[in-house]
């Protein structure tokens, strides 16, 4: 009779801790989760450190973690956009600290921008919320996402107006919007110059797959009356941030 293969208790504890962290979704710190799972706190910290180093978890601040890019890539049914959100969260947090204003990530669903991340100083005061949707034609992220649609999809969107003015600066003419999207596609970034909220400007750039597709966009918003970073500097910072996200999310060298 064959003997039962012995189990490795340390591996079982590590997998238990991994499950606890992922199920928690970044709400609790490692010590809290360790006590909940009846794992020694020091052991749990060593396990999580190893899982972070190997890419299975990603830190999001204050001892909290979410699923890392390596783990997410293993899940065949994972939504690509959620993978990008998980990868982007700590990167955008660092950008928000640097620029001291609001940083966001959005995706396009049913011709609307879905806000998936919102981080930074003043975030609570801005009307956008994670999970909400906004018309794409009037925001920086929306213009980036529309500009990178296949031409036939973009033309169909433009033909499906009307486009309602949210401020006097909102582009509502389809021909003018088409020219704006051509400009965005050519220069690789978009500007919302008070088109959603009159006293708010925004710069946005794409998150680009290796095949050239754009599943997401990131942006920095700032008040026209507050501390100002030049448009050129904002775009440079956003492009560097996008490259960092792309390298991890799409395993680029």
């Amino acid at each position: 009779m064959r003997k039962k293969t012995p189990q490795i208790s340390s591996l079982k504890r590590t997998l238990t801790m991994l499950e606890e962290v992922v199920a928690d979704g970044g709400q609790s710190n490692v010590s809290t989760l360790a006590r909940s799972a009846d794992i020694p706190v020091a052991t749990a910290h060593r396990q999580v450190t190893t899982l972070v180093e190997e890419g299975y978890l990603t830190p999001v601040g204050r001892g909290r973690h979410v699923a890392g890019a390596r783990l997410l890539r293993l899940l065949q049914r994972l939504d690509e956009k959620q993978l990008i959100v998980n990868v982007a969260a700590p990167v955008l947090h660092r950008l928000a600290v640097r620029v001291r204003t609001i940083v966001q990530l959005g995706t396009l669903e049913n011709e609307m921008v879905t806000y998936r991340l919102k981080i930074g100083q003043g975030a609570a005061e801005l009307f956008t919320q994670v999970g909400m949707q906004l018309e794409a034609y009037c925001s920086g992220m929306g213009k980036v996402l529309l500009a990178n649609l296949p031409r036939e999809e973009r033309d169909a969107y433009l033909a499906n107006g009307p486009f309602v003015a949210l401020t006097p600066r909102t582009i509502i003419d389809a021909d003018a919007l088409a020219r704006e999207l051509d400009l965005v596609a050519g220069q690789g970034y978009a500007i919302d110059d008070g088109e959603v909220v009159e006293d708010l400007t925004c710069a946005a750039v794409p998150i680009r797959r290796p095949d050239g597709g754009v599943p997401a966009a990131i942006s920095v918003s700032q008040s026209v009356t507050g501390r100002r970073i030049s448009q050129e500097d904002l775009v440079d910072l956003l492009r560097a941030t996008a490259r960092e996200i792309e390298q991890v999310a799409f395993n680029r060298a």
Side-chain angles (χ1 to χ4, degrees), residues 52-70:
V52 168
E53 290 174 351
E54 294 299 320
Y56 288 99
L57 293 177
T58 297
V60 293
R62 299 182 181 179
R64 298 170 293 121
H65 298 76
V66 295
R70 188 173 179 184

Side-chain angles (χ1 to χ4, degrees), residues 146 149-160 178 182:
L146 291 173
L149 288 174
R151 173 62 69 173
E152 59 274 15
E153 292 184 32
R154 192 202 307 182
D155 290 345
Y157 175 86
L158 291 168
N160 283 339
D182 284 339

Side-chain angles (χ1 to χ4, degrees), residues 173-227:
D173 177 75
D175 290 337
L177 183 56
R179 291 192 293 272
E180 175 78 357
L181 296 181
D182 284 339
L183 175 65
V184 170
Q187 66 190 12
Y189 67 89
I191 300 297
D192 159 14
D193 187 14
E195 296 163 55
V196 178
V197 178
E198 285 192 70
D199 64 350
L200 197 71
T201 65
C202 165
V205 303
I207 301 296
R208 198 176 296 277
R209 289 193 300 259
D211 66 5
V214 175
I218 57 174
S219 69
V220 172
S221 301
Q222 55 183 353
S223 169
V224 297
T225 57
R227 174 180 177 268

Side-chain angles (χ1 to χ4, degrees), residues 13-143:
R13 288 195 298 270
T14 300
L15 292 174
T16 297
M17 196 62 204
L18 178 61
E19 289 180 356
E20 289 287 330
V21 173
V22 172
D24 180 71
Q27 300 300 308
S28 307
N29 61 32
V30 173
S31 298
T32 300
L33 293 173
R35 287 189 287 268
S36 174
D38 198 25
I39 295 173
V41 172
T43 299
H45 277 280
R46 289 195 298 271
Q47 292 167 337
V48 169
T49 297
T50 300
L51 291 166
V52 168
E53 290 174 351
E54 294 299 320
Y56 288 99
L57 293 177
T58 297
V60 293
R62 299 182 181 179
R64 298 170 293 121
H65 298 76
V66 295
R70 188 173 179 184
L71 174 61
L72 295 176
R73 284 196 294 267
L74 293 176
L75 306 177
Q76 295 181 353
R77 295 183 180 179
L78 179 75
D79 177 4
E80 176 191 55
K81 294 173 182 178
Q82 188 57 46
L83 184 150
I84 294 170
V85 169
N86 278 271
V87 169
V91 183
L92 294 186
H93 176 76
R94 292 194 294 271
L95 177 61
V97 170
R98 182 170 182 179
V99 298
R100 291 192 289 168
T101 187
I102 303 163
V103 179
Q104 300 185 101
L105 182 148
T107 59
L108 193 68
E109 280 86 31
N110 300 319
E111 300 184 342
M112 305 276 284
V113 176
T114 299
Y115 287 80
R116 290 177 174 256
L117 282 174
K118 180 184 180 186
I119 303 168
Q121 184 176 313
E125 285 74 41
L126 186 62
F127 74 95
T128 55
Q129 300 292 332
V130 171
M132 75 168 282
Q133 289 191 309
L134 181 69
E135 294 287 354
Y137 63 89
C138 50
S139 71
M141 289 195 298
K143 287 192 278 188

